[in-house]
Amino acid sequence: MSAFSPEQIVVLGQSPTPFYCYDLKLLQQTLDTVKSESGKYGFHVHYAMKANVEDEVLELIRSAGFGADCVSGGEVEKALRAGFSAAQVVFAGVGKSDAEIIAALRDDIFCFNCESIPEIEIINEHALTLGKKARIALRINPNVHANTHHYITTGLEENKFGIGVNELPAVLDVIKLCEAISLIGLHFHIGSQITDLNVFKQLCVRVNEIQEWFVSRKISIQIINVGGGLGVNYYEPDKERIPDFAAYFKVFKRFLEIRNGQEVHFELGRAIVAQSGTLISRALFVKKGVQTQFAVLDAGMTELIRPALYQAYHKVENLTATPGSKSERYDVVGPVCESSDCFGKAMELHTIKRGDIIAIRTAGAYGSVMASHYNLRQLNPPVFLK
Ligand SMILES: *Cc1c(COP(=O)(O)O)cnc(C)c1O
């Protein structure tokens, strides 16, 4: 069984490959689920823009009423152009440039998630010059292990992200001196593709401890932002087309100590868009190796870098296999001049012939946004299934 109907496969076959295909119906269902499950507890959700910035995708997300979590000035600008209101935009990132800070202050975004003392001082300086008040949240590094690939772990002491707990007294001293800074929240983001909900429970426990520290100093915190990171099922996408948001939000309801009047914010990227996107390519050649055979596709690491960058697995399917054809083993590779340009080794696929349409699944997050022109390659425009 395929995620695509025979009619859809015909449509996909008419477009020049490689290209990304987005199932907007599935995206809408996913958004509806996030909305109803987070709404049960009055939680607020911001979409992490960096996962996917296709206009059609942003439009559905904006219409669903979510805010935007940005990690660069370019993303802030894009979010505002896409129609998110400034009051729904938050700006995180360990290296915000002066130009980015000034533009975001001028736009009156909702909140800067600050990652260091010098950053807070610079935001204060620019806000004073512009006659603005900057709302900030402290991105605190809670030193919680996310049990995910080390390249996408962000909440450990050794990572560059966030402010260490031992630095908090110094941070408060600085904030007291910053007239144009208003501390409104605490922010945490410990990593991505987290599938063990226990990790989020541990995060809640740490957040409670850290909050206690602020309360004991009579500092009231209006917003607790617990970041994103909920994982998706890359191995069996059709078994779990929509991640288990009910269980996810319930963990926070159960284990996070939410104080009176406090808002809880989430920043989800991958879990919202990953399953809606597929990279569609064509098999160019089947090439014999010594111990193996290679399926050479017209898509590679320039379109989807996750396998090369984080050894990520994506399910690969032959959408135009001859009915009843047997399974064979292939190393599925792209055309780029790098040995790491490989989607997977010894993958079991229905017999591939030249021209078959090959789907690389669960590619809606961190796919097209990381595409490059290396080897002067050109990605074709996306196709949206409605
Ligand atoms: C990347 C990122 C997110 C989103 O992570 P997902 O794993 O895609 O949900 C949220 N917050 C911050 C600060 C990020 O950098």
Side-chain angles (χ1 to χ4, degrees), residues 131-360:
K132 302 264 187 188
K133 189 102 179 171
R135 288 165 296 276
I136 70 161
L138 301 176
R139 177 169 182 176
I140 298 174
N141 185 330
N143 201 23
V144 170
H145 209 294
N147 279 333
T148 185
H149 191 276
H150 59 282
Y151 278 12
I152 49 177
T153 289
T154 57
L156 288 178
E157 273 164 7
E158 71 209 49
N159 300 129
K160 70 178 177 184
F161 298 100
I163 297 169
V165 171
N166 57 336
E167 268 187 285
L168 289 177
V171 170
L172 290 187
D173 289 343
V174 167
I175 290 176
K176 266 186 219 133
L177 300 174
C178 289
E179 284 167 52
I181 294 285
S182 159
L183 174 64
I184 61 165
L186 304 181
H187 173 226
F188 305 85
H189 175 70
I190 55 172
S192 200
Q193 184 51 19
I194 298 167
T195 49
D196 175 3
L197 290 183
N198 226 348
V199 168
F200 293 114
K201 179 185 160 189
Q202 286 163 31
L203 172 64
C204 290
V205 171
R206 278 299 281 148
V207 172
N208 294 342
E209 287 168 10
I210 292 166
Q211 247 211 105
E212 203 47 59
W213 186 90
F214 282 87
V215 170
S216 72
R217 277 156 190 78
K218 308 238 177 318
I219 297 165
S220 82
I221 299 291
Q222 198 182 318
I223 290 160
I224 299 290
N225 179 337
V226 291
L230 178 62
V232 299
N233 192 337
Y234 282 98
Y235 288 88
E236 294 183 289
D238 294 319
K239 274 209 175 145
E240 218 178 322
R241 303 209 74 198
I242 299 177
D244 192 351
F245 291 106
Y248 171 71
F249 288 118
K250 206 185 223 166
V251 168
F252 291 91
K253 177 64 189 170
R254 206 163 145 216
F255 296 104
L256 193 64
E257 282 168 29
I258 304 164
R259 293 181 154 74
N260 256 347
Q262 211 166 42
E263 289 180 11
V264 183
H265 290 208
F266 292 81
E267 301 168 336
L268 293 166
R270 187 190 312 270
I272 291 178
V273 290
Q275 295 294 18
S276 304
T278 307
L279 176 58
I280 302 290
S281 67
R282 268 194 183 78
L284 293 174
F285 308 107
V286 175
K287 172 178 161 170
K288 284 257 162 289
V290 179
Q291 307 276 357
T292 179
Q293 57 180 347
F294 297 98
V296 184
L297 309 185
D298 65 3
M301 65 191 291
T302 39
E303 288 68 50
L304 180 65
I305 202 176
R306 298 188 68 259
L309 188 59
Y310 327 109
Q311 291 111 37
Y313 176 87
H314 285 264
K315 188 166 189 205
V316 176
E317 286 170 354
N318 182 353
L319 297 187
T320 46
T322 312
S325 69
K326 60 182 170 74
S327 273
E328 295 185 52
R329 281 218 176 120
Y330 300 90
D331 285 7
V332 180
V333 302
V336 177
C337 301
E338 297 288 340
S339 293
S340 60
D341 184 28
C342 176
F343 289 112
K345 292 196 187 296
M347 292 185 125
E348 290 273 349
L349 295 166
H350 287 289
T351 302
I352 293 178
K353 5 174 239 317
R354 174 172 165 78
D356 272 340
I357 300 174
I358 309 296
I360 300 157

Side-chain angles (χ1 to χ4, degrees), residues 1-66:
M1 202 204 77
S2 159
F4 300 99
S5 68
E7 297 76 36
Q8 286 173 334
I9 293 171
V10 170
V11 172
L12 296 177
Q14 287 160 355
S15 297
T17 49
F19 61 91
Y20 276 92
C21 160
Y22 296 98
D23 179 342
L24 295 182
K25 222 184 251 168
L26 176 61
L27 177 58
Q28 188 61 56
Q29 287 165 357
T30 308
L31 292 168
D32 293 345
T33 307
V34 175
K35 201 166 178 180
S36 65
E37 295 302 334
S38 61
K40 279 183 186 165
Y41 313 117
F43 291 162
H44 298 249
V45 176
H46 288 85
Y47 166 63
M49 295 270 295
K50 73 176 188 285
N52 189 301
V53 291
E54 293 295 349
D55 291 336
E56 287 78 353
V57 168
L58 292 182
E59 178 52 25
L60 287 193
I61 294 172
R62 188 199 58 78
S63 307
F66 300 132

